[in-house]
Amino acid sequence: MSDRLAKLKETLAQLNRLYMISELLYWDMRTIMPEGGFEGHAEATEHYQTEAFRISTSDELYELLQELSAPEEWEQLDDDWRFIVKTMREEQERDRRIPEELFSRMVAAQTASERAWEEAKKNSDYSIFAPHLEKLIALTREVKSYTHPELEIYDALLDDYEKGMDSATIDRVFGELKEGLVPLVHSILAAEQPDDTKFRVTYDLDAQRKVQKLLLTYIGFDWSKGTVGESEHPFTLDLSATDVRVTNHFREDNAIDPMFSAIHEGGHAIFEQNVAPKLAGTVAGGCRYLGIHESQSRFFENILGRNINFWRPIYADVQKLQPELADISLEEFAREINHVRASMIRTAADEVTYCLHVILRYEVEKAIFREGVSVAELPALWNRKMEEYLGVVPANDAEGILQDMHWSDGSFGYFPTYLLGSIYDGMFLEAMEAELGSVDELLAAGRIGEIRGWLNRNIHQYGSTRRPKEVLREVCGREATAEPLLRYFREKYKKYYNL
Amino acid sequence: MSDRLAKLKETLAQLNRLYMISELLYWDMRTIMPEGGFEGHAEATEHYQTEAFRISTSDELYELLQELSAPEEWEQLDDDWRFIVKTMREEQERDRRIPEELFSRMVAAQTASERAWEEAKKNSDYSIFAPHLEKLIALTREVKSYTHPELEIYDALLDDYEKGMDSATIDRVFGELKEGLVPLVHSILAAEQPDDTKFRVTYDLDAQRKVQKLLLTYIGFDWSKGTVGESEHPFTLDLSATDVRVTNHFREDNAIDPMFSAIHEGGHAIFEQNVAPKLAGTVAGGCRYLGIHESQSRFFENILGRNINFWRPIYADVQKLQPELADISLEEFAREINHVRASMIRTAADEVTYCLHVILRYEVEKAIFREGVSVAELPALWNRKMEEYLGVVPANDAEGILQDMHWSDGSFGYFPTYLLGSIYDGMFLEAMEAELGSVDELLAAGRIGEIRGWLNRNIHQYGSTRRPKEVLREVCGREATAEPLLRYFREKYKKYYNL
């Protein structure tokens, strides 16, 4: 190993420590910290994130990366390290253009805004959050004008979350999907709905925690490299590839949503736990592309988890842990987890209307950044679109514009990655079945490990070394298309709704 | 405020951030971290502790403290800041004498040793821990030879945990106590023992968590400034005065020990939560004297918690939460929480034999440091003393020499502070009743808030600004004496055991 590569590894160790501390502070803040800890955690978070930013944009690192790119050094690097050096250079050249003072303002604004959003949501009072949102939008535009001067603003936002993806491609695939889904959802909502009375009981919370443990274990979550917590909104976070954490939010009136949150976050965690160890602690360790990441959480949650065959080997055990399900047959359970409703809340939405929730958010974001729609107009715009796509109108802003935390930390351009994930899933399912045969049969036989193995081999191990469009080409041999997902939806709902 | 004082406050903010991060890493490691997180947490802990050590022993801070001690600056300081500057100077002069390389070795040895102890205890295999213990003893001697060259080694150990306390005083008060207790414990153990069959049932774990919440709330734990977790061994830790955390360890076979752990750790936390805010983030904020600290946890646990009157206002609610107690009367419950047994485990010991467990450890530590008894001889020495004081011999090292975590991180000289705490409690009870009247009556009337208020006013608010001997003089008007504690024990057990 050259001295310069050794030096880069040292810098990465230093940066990783700072990232780990920031993640630990975030984890603690969201899962357990009392109110009185806020000030100290916020101050420390800002400090360590600023320190990481300073190192990652330093002249010293800049020169080191230049030197490693010179022919005599470059020749000694293997493909992974070439990817790492190239990616770090690209990101650094972008980040170095952000004035340090602007970055600090952004971090401080995010922290304050996250808190305001929590307060606003609790009181269903958009006016508490609106000034923070406006500030974040302005700061985001300012940051992007430094980092991506060459890109149209919405493409610049996407670039952070799904490298190489562009709004033209998204417009095309979301368009294909919307065209097929709107009539499908309308037929489903007009069809006879299953009776869900038996599910409306009070579910023991501790039993739900035990069911989560069973589900995570079953899908292959590695407990020696991960743990669980509870927070307002479920999330997955990694302190390192060997310390990957998921949260959930349990409620007495609903035991099913938390099961699917567990499987969803478990899917994210399994990705992180299975990246090749040689990539650990670099920009290639872990997956940085949120659409690809989301494709894995949603593959576990929907493609596997909402399939009746997923439950055949474990349903009796789940019933034992959660006795409120004792009188509900596997068929009734499967029917309910595929129950389509015109609901207000994205995270509680069924698999198919979920797509429309995301398309709505994508359109609202384009309205903000492209059409200059004002912050004051957003609640009404949101509500109009809800009525148009799902035929329902939020009763208040807590179940409307305030429902998601994403905009509270300035994550604009993030939402479309959820739907890209599902679109990729249709494509992955097709490719997987071509190789392994019927997923229904594998699941029914409890051979979920083979499915996970396929995902590990084809997707997880590469971490970030393959970019999204490259993953699709390598794994599916084609460009992004919504066609397999649409076909999957049509087949599934034909069966459940006699369409 | 002078520029120099402002500069000191800046340095303290920097140090506090580092301490907070170290505490957070410790909290996480003990309560939730998966196995795969160990390496990263250990590396980060060493890094941040070393950084804090470097700053706190730096020439820059040394000079700043010198300057603040010069007449023109000193005159501008109030009493609190004078105490802070003086204490920091004293500590710095000691710490600066420790070679940085020795400090790093100590931190690394502590981390490795803590882990070895966990493994050793799990397998009841002293040989796993012994080499680590030997190394820590040697490193401790080496460190003390730099920090306290003027003190005899055991007095040097005490100085870290109970400033100004000396082994001559401890020998005197422990001597008084041992002389009175050995015959008392022998009479108790020879008397008729209560029937505890009804308590030997399986207790729901989640119910225990709810009882803990009730108890902490009842004694006055402030949930806006604190939270709870679960760990192998209960502890209290503060990230700041407004973020104070306690842990517990719940077991299905015993619901009573965890109740008293909750009250005990709650007593520690209430102390930290009630130090005057003006002292926050300095060497005077929080209590640094472990005997004084322990006096507060044990006052809540024993003087209040083991008094039948403590339970009168809440016992029915506890029974509702923990239905296994439904058929147990308040009198039976009070009898059981004052049941004296010759047990192996200090943390599960009753209030009176507990004293002998501590005297044993104090004597073992003196044997190690004063008499040079070897690490190999310790298990046998431990077992001989157990037989002598309590008439029982541990069946294995897990319930003998390995039972406590304290020596695993090099906390030698810590154990005596537990018993000093109880000895102070006898004195505080006497002083409190002289002012407030009967504690029995206050408790029975649910007026525990007045008791807590007395402790807040007389002890907590001062943080560390009064040293242990000073606290006794100010609050009790006398020197340390075991006489009030002995009297309290004699009265209590006379009643419960018809002596």
Side-chain angles (χ1 to χ4, degrees):
Chain A
M1 182 162 54
S2 81
D3 287 355
R4 289 191 175 105
L5 182 55
K7 175 78 190 134
L8 177 61
K9 288 183 179 180
E10 247 173 60
T11 307
L12 287 174
Q14 209 180 351
L15 281 170
N16 276 326
R17 189 191 303 120
L18 293 166
Y19 295 143
M20 192 269 258
I21 292 298
S22 299
E23 294 293 286
L24 179 58
L25 284 161
Y26 183 89
W27 167 266
D28 191 74
M29 200 183 272
R30 292 278 172 200
T31 57
I32 190 164
M33 182 195 81
E35 198 189 322
F38 180 77
E39 209 179 320
H41 276 51
E43 191 277 336
T45 300
E46 189 181 337
H47 175 85
Y48 290 110
Q49 285 187 356
T50 304
E51 199 173 323
F53 179 73
R54 194 172 294 138
I55 294 171
S56 68
T57 57
S58 67
D59 292 342
E60 206 183 339
L61 181 58
Y62 184 79
E63 278 157 31
L64 183 61
L65 291 169
Q66 298 272 14
E67 289 163 3
L68 282 162
S69 307
E72 68 278 19
E73 289 280 348
W74 189 256
E75 272 164 26
Q76 296 178 56
L77 298 178
D78 65 16
D79 282 351
D80 292 328
W81 280 103
R82 284 180 184 180
F83 176 88
I84 292 159
V85 169
K86 188 166 158 281
T87 305
M88 287 184 80
R89 280 191 65 183
E90 282 169 14
E91 295 190 351
Q92 213 196 20
E93 303 209 334
R94 276 208 324 266
D95 289 347
R96 278 166 66 92
R97 295 198 291 262
I98 309 175
E100 195 170 314
E101 155 288 317
L102 173 60
F103 182 80
S104 292
R105 265 195 295 142
M106 185 56 141
V107 172
Q110 282 166 338
T111 308
S113 164
E114 286 172 39
R115 227 191 173 190
W117 169 78
E118 280 188 7
E119 193 64 20
K121 187 175 176 184
K122 204 169 66 191
N123 299 299
S124 190
D125 183 351
Y126 181 66
S127 73
I128 297 171
F129 178 52
H132 293 272
L133 178 58
E134 190 157 0
K135 193 169 173 188
L136 282 183
I137 292 168
L139 282 167
T140 300
R141 283 189 190 277
E142 199 178 341
V143 169
K144 292 296 162 192
S145 74
Y146 288 102
T147 57
H148 298 76
E150 77 289 3
L151 288 182
E152 192 277 333
I153 177 73
Y154 199 85
D155 282 337
L157 295 174
L158 281 172
D159 194 65
D160 278 351
Y161 299 111
E162 193 70 350
K163 195 91 201 158
M165 189 48 70
D166 54 89
S167 55
T169 304
I170 295 183
D171 281 339
R172 176 173 60 76
V173 291
F174 281 19
E176 281 171 34
L177 195 65
K178 194 170 164 183
E179 199 184 309
L181 277 197
V182 171
L184 178 66
V185 167
H186 284 182
S187 330
I188 293 172
L189 292 176
E192 195 190 336
Q193 293 296 329
D195 180 7
D196 58 8
T197 321
K198 284 167 87 172
F199 290 89
R200 293 201 208 112
V201 298
T202 300
Y203 296 92
D204 183 69
L205 293 177
D206 213 43
Q208 295 189 44
R209 294 180 184 108
K210 288 173 185 154
V211 170
Q212 160 165 287
K213 188 154 196 183
L214 179 151
L215 291 171
L216 286 173
T217 305
Y218 185 65
I219 64 174
F221 181 84
D222 182 344
W223 293 94
S224 76
K225 297 183 190 168
T227 191
V228 295
E230 294 179 33
S231 60
E232 176 62 28
H233 195 90
F235 63 83
T236 303
L237 160 157
D238 55 303
L239 302 188
S240 70
T242 53
D243 187 350
V244 184
R245 302 172 177 203
V246 299
T247 70
N248 209 336
H249 183 79
F250 300 106
R251 301 156 37 189
E252 287 190 336
D253 66 345
N254 189 328
I256 290 182
D257 287 353
M259 288 184 200
F260 285 89
S261 285
I263 302 172
H264 178 98
E265 302 303 333
H268 279 307
I270 286 168
F271 195 157
E272 294 293 326
Q273 290 179 333
N274 287 284
V275 175
K278 64 176 175 172
L279 302 175
T282 74
V283 289
C287 173
R288 302 156 74 80
Y289 317 123
L290 300 194
I292 294 293
H293 223 312
E294 197 65 16
S295 77
Q296 298 309 291
S297 57
R298 303 187 80 73
F299 198 91
F300 278 95
E301 178 192 353
N302 292 330
I303 308 286
L304 305 181
R306 297 194 196 270
N307 186 323
I308 188 170
N309 298 293
F310 174 91
W311 298 90
R312 291 195 196 281
I314 57 171
Y315 188 64
D317 293 331
V318 171
Q319 285 177 306
K320 248 176 251 156
L321 293 175
Q322 191 85 54
E324 300 87 348
L325 299 174
D327 292 334
I328 291 170
S329 71
L330 175 60
E331 286 66 29
E332 290 171 309
F333 180 78
R335 187 73 200 76
E336 182 56 23
I337 63 179
N338 288 293
H339 190 161
V340 177
R341 290 180 182 85
S343 80
M344 298 300 172
I345 307 298
R346 176 182 61 84
T347 55
D350 58 85
E351 193 178 351
V352 65
T353 58
Y354 189 93
C355 304
L356 298 174
H357 283 278
V358 173
I359 288 172
L360 177 156
R361 285 155 180 77
Y362 174 59
E363 291 170 350
V364 170
E365 287 185 341
K366 287 204 297 183
I368 296 171
F369 285 95
R370 282 205 174 140
E371 296 148 33
V373 169
S374 76
V375 161
E377 295 169 89
L378 298 180
L381 177 62
W382 180 289
N383 294 354
R384 273 202 309 280
K385 285 185 183 283
M386 278 298 287
E387 186 160 24
E388 188 183 335
Y389 301 153
L390 291 166
V392 290
V393 181
N396 55 55
D397 290 335
E399 63 174 34
I401 187 96
L402 288 172
Q403 74 179 258
D404 298 301
M405 66 182 294
H406 299 62
W407 292 338
S408 79
D409 65 1
S411 299
F412 307 108
Y414 185 128
F415 282 118
T417 65
Y418 288 127
L419 188 48
L420 287 172
S422 287
I423 287 167
Y424 303 160
D425 279 344
M427 300 172 69
F428 293 149
L429 176 62
E430 196 176 56
M432 181 186 283
E433 291 201 314
E435 191 179 330
L436 300 183
S438 157
V439 160
D440 283 354
E441 285 171 25
L442 288 169
L443 285 175
R447 291 161 61 191
I448 191 171
E450 293 170 45
I451 295 172
R452 191 178 62 248
W454 189 93
L455 297 168
N456 288 167
R457 268 194 317 283
N458 285 285
I459 299 165
H460 305 163
Q461 65 161 319
Y462 296 103
S464 292
T465 56
R466 289 175 173 179
R467 290 188 169 163
K469 289 185 173 179
E470 214 176 324
V471 174
L472 298 184
R473 275 196 302 274
E474 292 287 339
V475 181
C476 312
R478 60 198 292 200
E479 301 297 313
T481 163
E483 182 266 318
L485 180 67
L486 256 179
R487 196 173 59 238
Y488 159 87
F489 278 145
R490 287 191 178 119
E491 281 171 21
K492 167 182 262 192
Y493 293 106
K494 194 172 146 188
K495 191 174 69 188
Y496 280 114
Y497 281 92
N498 302 310
L499 299 180
Chain B
M1 183 165 48
S2 82
D3 287 355
R4 290 194 175 103
L5 183 56
K7 175 79 190 132
L8 177 61
K9 287 183 179 181
E10 247 174 60
T11 307
L12 287 174
Q14 208 180 352
L15 282 170
N16 276 326
R17 189 191 302 120
L18 293 166
Y19 295 143
M20 191 267 258
I21 292 297
S22 299
E23 294 293 285
L24 179 59
L25 285 161
Y26 183 88
W27 167 266
D28 190 74
M29 200 183 273
R30 293 278 171 199
T31 58
I32 190 164
M33 182 196 79
E35 198 189 322
F38 180 78
E39 210 179 318
H41 275 51
E43 192 276 337
T45 300
E46 190 182 336
H47 176 84
Y48 290 110
Q49 286 187 356
T50 305
E51 200 174 321
F53 179 74
R54 193 173 294 137
I55 294 170
S56 68
T57 58
S58 67
D59 292 343
E60 208 183 335
L61 180 58
Y62 183 80
E63 278 156 33
L64 183 61
L65 291 169
Q66 298 271 15
E67 289 163 3
L68 282 162
S69 307
E72 68 279 19
E73 291 279 347
W74 189 256
E75 272 163 27
Q76 296 178 55
L77 298 178
D78 65 16
D79 283 351
D80 292 328
W81 280 102
R82 284 179 183 180
F83 176 87
I84 292 160
V85 170
K86 186 166 159 281
T87 305
M88 288 184 79
R89 280 191 65 182
E90 281 169 14
E91 294 190 352
Q92 212 196 21
E93 303 209 333
R94 275 207 325 266
D95 289 347
R96 278 166 66 92
R97 295 196 292 263
I98 308 175
E100 195 171 313
E101 155 290 316
L102 173 59
F103 182 80
S104 292
R105 266 194 295 142
M106 186 56 142
V107 172
Q110 281 167 338
T111 308
S113 164
E114 285 172 39
R115 227 191 173 190
W117 170 77
E118 280 188 7
E119 193 64 19
K121 187 175 176 185
K122 203 169 67 188
N123 299 299
S124 190
D125 182 352
Y126 181 67
S127 74
I128 297 172
F129 178 53
H132 292 272
L133 178 58
E134 191 158 0
K135 194 169 171 186
L136 282 182
I137 292 167
L139 282 167
T140 301
R141 283 187 190 278
E142 200 179 338
V143 168
K144 293 295 162 193
S145 74
Y146 288 102
T147 57
H148 297 76
E150 77 290 4
L151 287 183
E152 193 276 335
I153 177 73
Y154 200 87
D155 282 336
L157 294 175
L158 280 172
D159 194 65
D160 278 351
Y161 299 111
E162 193 70 351
K163 196 89 199 158
M165 190 46 70
D166 54 88
S167 55
T169 304
I170 295 182
D171 281 338
R172 176 174 60 76
V173 290
F174 281 20
E176 281 171 36
L177 194 65
K178 195 171 163 184
E179 198 183 311
L181 276 198
V182 171
L184 178 65
V185 167
H186 284 181
S187 329
I188 293 171
L189 292 176
E192 196 191 335
Q193 293 296 328
D195 180 6
D196 58 9
T197 320
K198 285 167 87 173
F199 291 89
R200 293 202 207 112
V201 298
T202 300
Y203 296 91
D204 183 67
L205 292 177
D206 213 43
Q208 294 188 45
R209 294 180 182 107
K210 289 173 186 154
V211 171
Q212 161 166 286
K213 187 155 196 183
L214 178 151
L215 291 172
L216 286 173
T217 304
Y218 185 65
I219 65 174
F221 181 83
D222 182 344
W223 294 94
S224 76
K225 298 182 189 167
T227 192
V228 295
E230 293 180 32
S231 61
E232 175 62 27
H233 196 91
F235 63 83
T236 303
L237 159 159
D238 56 302
L239 302 188
S240 71
T242 53
D243 187 351
V244 184
R245 302 171 177 204
V246 300
T247 70
N248 209 335
H249 183 77
F250 299 107
R251 302 154 37 186
E252 286 190 335
D253 65 345
N254 189 329
I256 290 181
D257 287 353
M259 288 184 200
F260 285 89
S261 285
I263 302 173
H264 178 98
E265 302 303 333
H268 280 305
I270 286 168
F271 196 156
E272 293 294 325
Q273 290 178 333
N274 288 285
V275 174
K278 63 176 176 172
L279 303 175
T282 74
V283 289
C287 173
R288 304 155 73 80
Y289 316 122
L290 301 194
I292 294 293
H293 223 311
E294 197 65 16
S295 77
Q296 298 309 291
S297 56
R298 302 188 80 74
F299 198 91
F300 277 95
E301 177 192 353
N302 292 330
I303 307 286
L304 304 180
R306 297 194 195 271
N307 185 324
I308 188 171
N309 299 293
F310 174 92
W311 298 90
R312 291 194 195 282
I314 57 171
Y315 189 64
D317 293 331
V318 170
Q319 284 177 308
K320 249 177 250 156
L321 293 176
Q322 191 85 53
E324 300 88 348
L325 299 175
D327 292 334
I328 291 171
S329 71
L330 175 61
E331 287 65 31
E332 289 170 310
F333 181 77
R335 187 73 199 76
E336 182 56 24
I337 64 178
N338 288 294
H339 189 162
V340 176
R341 289 180 183 86
S343 80
M344 298 300 171
I345 307 298
R346 176 183 61 85
T347 55
D350 58 86
E351 192 178 352
V352 64
T353 59
Y354 189 92
C355 305
L356 297 173
H357 283 278
V358 173
I359 289 173
L360 177 155
R361 285 155 178 78
Y362 173 61
E363 291 172 350
V364 171
E365 287 185 340
K366 287 204 298 185
I368 295 171
F369 285 95
R370 282 205 173 141
E371 296 148 33
V373 170
S374 75
V375 161
E377 294 169 89
L378 299 180
L381 177 63
W382 180 288
N383 294 354
R384 272 202 310 279
K385 284 184 184 284
M386 279 298 286
E387 186 159 23
E388 188 181 334
Y389 300 155
L390 292 166
V392 290
V393 182
N396 55 55
D397 290 335
E399 63 175 36
I401 186 97
L402 288 172
Q403 73 178 260
D404 297 301
M405 67 181 294
H406 301 61
W407 292 339
S408 79
D409 64 2
S411 300
F412 306 108
Y414 184 128
F415 282 118
T417 65
Y418 288 126
L419 188 48
L420 287 172
S422 288
I423 287 167
Y424 303 159
D425 279 344
M427 299 171 69
F428 293 150
L429 176 62
E430 195 175 57
M432 181 187 282
E433 292 201 313
E435 191 179 330
L436 301 184
S438 158
V439 161
D440 283 354
E441 285 170 25
L442 288 169
L443 285 175
R447 290 162 61 191
I448 190 170
E450 294 170 45
I451 295 172
R452 191 178 61 249
W454 189 93
L455 296 169
N456 288 167
R457 269 195 317 282
N458 285 284
I459 300 165
H460 305 163
Q461 63 160 319
Y462 296 102
S464 291
T465 56
R466 289 176 173 178
R467 291 189 169 163
K469 288 184 174 179
E470 215 176 324
V471 174
L472 298 184
R473 276 196 301 273
E474 293 286 340
V475 181
C476 312
R478 59 200 289 200
E479 301 298 312
T481 163
E483 182 265 320
L485 181 68
L486 256 179
R487 195 174 58 240
Y488 159 86
F489 279 144
R490 286 191 179 119
E491 282 170 20
K492 167 182 263 195
Y493 294 107
K494 192 172 147 189
K495 188 175 70 187
Y496 281 115
Y497 280 92
N498 303 309
L499 299 179

